[in-house]
């Protein structure tokens, strides 16, 4: 199953709204979407299920281990998986959103709060991209 991760620069940046909008758009385009949530949560997955019409998968490297996380991902149904991240992209000791994306070899779509910002928003996004390259070299 193909997929991608919706990550954010921090908590409260709009990951859930972005995830739900993407799930709805993909469903309307005729795709069968398997929603998932990085980290244990019960509120966001209930929204995912309501929009997608199927239960959201929990993907947590700390709880499931890397092999269990992969196994749980591939047990999902659908032709595309949309994974909503937890907190900020690199937040969380044992199972950050970045760790989940890396374990599943999925690309990340970064949600950035652009309210009251201009060029600084681009600088923030570039900073996350450069940090990703740094983290990959250092093993996260």
């Amino acid at each position: 199953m193909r997929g991608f991760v919706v990550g954010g620069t921090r908590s409260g940046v709009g990951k859930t709204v972005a995830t739900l909008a993407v799930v709805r758009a993909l469903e309307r385009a005729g795709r069968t979407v398997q929603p998932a949530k990085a980290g244990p949560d019960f509120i966001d997955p209930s929204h995912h299920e309501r929009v997608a019409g199927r239960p959201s998968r929990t993907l947590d490297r700390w709880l499931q281990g890397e092999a269990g996380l992969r196994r749980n991902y591939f047990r999902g149904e659908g032709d595309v998986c949309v994974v909503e991240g937890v907190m900020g992209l690199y937040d969380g000791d044992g199972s950050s959103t970045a760790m989940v994306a890396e374990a599943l070899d999925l690309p990340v779509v970064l949600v950035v709060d652009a309210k009251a910002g201009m060029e600084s928003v681009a600088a923030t996004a570039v900073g996350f991209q450069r940090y990703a390259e740094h983290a990959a070299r250092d093993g996260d």
Side-chain angles (χ1 to χ4, degrees):
M1 177 171 44
R2 292 181 172 194
F4 60 92
V5 175
V6 179
T9 56
R10 60 177 170 77
S11 291
V13 75
K15 292 183 303 291
T16 303
V17 171
T19 299
L20 296 174
V22 167
V23 168
R24 176 65 50 97
L26 288 169
E27 289 278 341
R28 286 184 175 165
R31 304 298 296 268
T32 303
V33 180
Q34 173 61 68
K37 175 69 178 177
D41 193 331
F42 63 93
I43 296 172
D44 294 340
S46 67
H47 297 311
H48 298 169
E49 183 173 359
R50 175 112 175 138
V51 172
R54 71 184 40 77
S56 184
R57 313 289 297 178
T58 296
L59 303 173
D60 190 294
R61 198 177 87 162
W62 184 81
L63 288 173
Q64 300 165 322
E66 209 161 302
L69 180 139
R70 284 192 197 107
R71 192 169 42 252
N72 193 25
Y73 174 80
F74 286 108
R75 283 183 181 158
E77 298 176 0
D79 53 11
V80 64
C81 183
V82 179
V83 181
E84 180 181 345
V86 60
M87 300 185 290
L89 186 60
Y90 295 99
D91 300 333
D93 291 338
S95 188
S96 70
T97 300
M99 290 174 180
V100 170
E102 182 180 1
L104 298 171
D105 195 28
L106 296 177
V108 175
V109 176
L110 186 66
V111 178
V112 179
D113 184 355
K115 177 180 62 183
M118 293 175 57
E119 292 295 318
S120 295
V121 174
T124 299
V126 168
F128 269 79
Q129 180 183 23
R130 288 195 178 150
Y131 187 82
E133 295 163 2
H134 168 78
R137 283 192 307 269
D138 292 346
D140 200 347

